[in-house]
Amino acid sequence: MADSRIPVAVLGATGAVGQTFIRLLNGHPWFRVAEVAASERSAGKSYRDAATTWLEGIIPNEVAGLTVLPCDTGSVKSLLVFSALDAAAAQDVEPAFAKAGRFVLSNAKNFRMEPDVPLVIPEVNASHLGLIETQRKNRGWSGAVVTNANCAATCAAVALAPLHEAFGVRQVFAATMQAVSGAGYPGVPSLDILGNVIPYIGGEESKIESEMQKMLGIFSGNAIVPAPFVVSSHANRVAVENGHTVVMSIGFEQKPTVEQAIAAVRAWRGAEEVRGLPSAPAVPLQYFDEPNRPQPRRDAMIGKGMTTSVGRIREDSILHIKLVAMSHNTIRGAAGGSILNAEVLVSRGIVPRPGGSNA
Ligand code: NAP
């Protein structure tokens, strides 16, 4: 029987996020990995031979024998392109694909804060995908670039979404404890991180301090009006494999009680149009009553890595409320988030299915 799934490409397929794409797309009901691409170091090799640092499980058969392509629009033909490129490569490659009519789901930092580029966590702000029209007009592109946020900002933004909707966030103090997989492969040398905390991640704090306001902002029809709050952040690398933890103190326009804040988090299900999509978790935000949760090792894989966990909502003596949030950085904060964004593009009919059906 003919395969009716949409053929997709993964750019940067050999890296930590690229490999996560390959794992998550294995057996996906709508998408089939047809092409993999990476740097000139890998191009021309089989994926099996190029992905020498394969991190988890075994390389799916469907992909292992594919030849790694260079990241150019002549070599890679797929309409839907997942990009796990590092920022230096993404700068020219991603716009070139969008110009050539492709839909690029980007994990890189380069275009996230451009006013006509959607920065999307679909349960939080699927409406921002409306910016695609403005982007295409502004740039004369027949394709588009849709971005995901920084992985720590994603974790924090999902946790803040119900609280912002209900009580109006005004100030956030955020300190992160970020997993080593967030630095890609090979990332931080083992002798630097084992038994240690590194209180610096280059460029991370400014992303955490700016991206959440865009994501929690309002789509006005052709622009995003950022949410009116300030964020101060400290970013730390810790000896955890997967799962970023963010502890936050939050000030609100209307101060909630602890019980009201917990109720808002528990009740939140995110945008209705996302529910039931193949990668959407049944519960996007889970609240723990246990005082020692969430924990990365125990909770990062809830909802197949797509659920954000929150715990310890309590009074804060400087701002109003404080809490702990945690989510899987390479799944919810990168590849899984991109795949869910692509599923929304398909369910909205922005990316056509083969044969034209968007059922
Ligand atoms: P990584 O492990 O270093 O992988 C980088 C990938 O980019 C590799 O496939 C590499 O191919 C490819 N590449 C490098 N230079 C290239 C070039 N000049 N042309 C074409 N391909 C090139 O990095 P990562 O952690 O997967 O991160 C990928 C992107 O996702 C980055 O922009 C990062 O900021 C973002 N991100 C990462 C996370 C996370 O938790 N790790 C979360 C959110 C966002 P070769 O193998 O051939 O060198």
Side-chain angles (χ1 to χ4, degrees), residues 11 49 99-100 148 151 157-158 201 209 266 272 284 287 300 307-308:
L11 310 183
D49 291 341
K99 194 173 173 194
N148 306 357
C151 33
V158 177
I201 304 175
E209 290 176 358
R266 277 197 203 285
E272 202 172 336
Y287 188 74
T307 294
T308 300

Side-chain angles (χ1 to χ4, degrees), residues 12-18 38-39 41-42 71 84-87 89 107-108 112 151 181-182 184-185 329-330 333-334:
T14 48
V17 173
S39 78
R41 293 177 289 277
S42 307
C71 290
L85 291 173
D86 68 25
N107 282 277
R112 289 175 185 156
C151 33
S181 59
Y185 192 89
N329 49 297
T330 60

Side-chain angles (χ1 to χ4, degrees), residues 95-283:
F97 273 85
K99 194 173 173 194
R102 319 299 179 78
F103 290 89
V104 181
L105 285 302
S106 166
N107 282 277
K109 66 180 179 187
N110 310 57
F111 304 104
R112 289 175 185 156
M113 297 305 290
E114 301 265 321
D116 60 356
V117 174
L119 178 60
V120 180
I121 303 170
E123 294 97 325
V124 172
N125 64 348
S127 64
H128 292 200
L129 289 168
L131 266 185
I132 288 176
E133 213 174 299
T134 308
Q135 184 189 113
R136 289 169 139 183
K137 264 191 218 140
N138 285 354
R139 302 181 187 237
W141 290 347
S142 47
V145 173
V146 172
T147 59
N148 306 357
N150 165 270
C151 33
T154 299
C155 173
V158 177
L160 289 178
L163 299 171
H164 183 59
E165 277 168 26
F167 314 112
V169 171
R170 288 295 172 265
Q171 299 104 1
V172 179
F173 168 85
T176 71
M177 286 155 271
Q178 299 185 217
V180 287
S181 59
Y185 192 89
V188 192
S190 56
L191 286 178
D192 285 347
I193 193 67
L194 283 173
N196 204 10
V197 171
I198 299 173
Y200 173 70
I201 304 175
E204 199 77 358
E205 288 168 0
S206 61
K207 295 178 214 164
I208 296 166
E209 290 176 358
S210 59
E211 292 179 6
M212 285 194 274
Q213 295 90 324
K214 181 171 179 181
M215 288 186 281
L216 293 172
I218 292 167
F219 177 54
S220 71
N222 57 11
I224 305 297
V225 181
F229 59 80
V230 287
V231 182
S232 169
S233 85
H234 296 250
N236 302 287
R237 185 76 68 198
V238 297
V240 163
E241 188 183 353
N242 291 307
H244 288 352
T245 301
V246 186
V247 293
M248 289 187 277
S249 293
I250 308 154
F252 296 94
E253 191 176 333
Q254 295 166 264
K255 179 185 175 181
T257 63
V258 166
E259 293 70 28
Q260 286 170 329
I262 292 173
V265 167
R266 277 197 203 285
W268 192 77
R269 290 292 174 270
E272 202 172 336
E273 71 170 294
V274 180
R275 293 177 210 158
L277 292 178
S279 302
V283 179

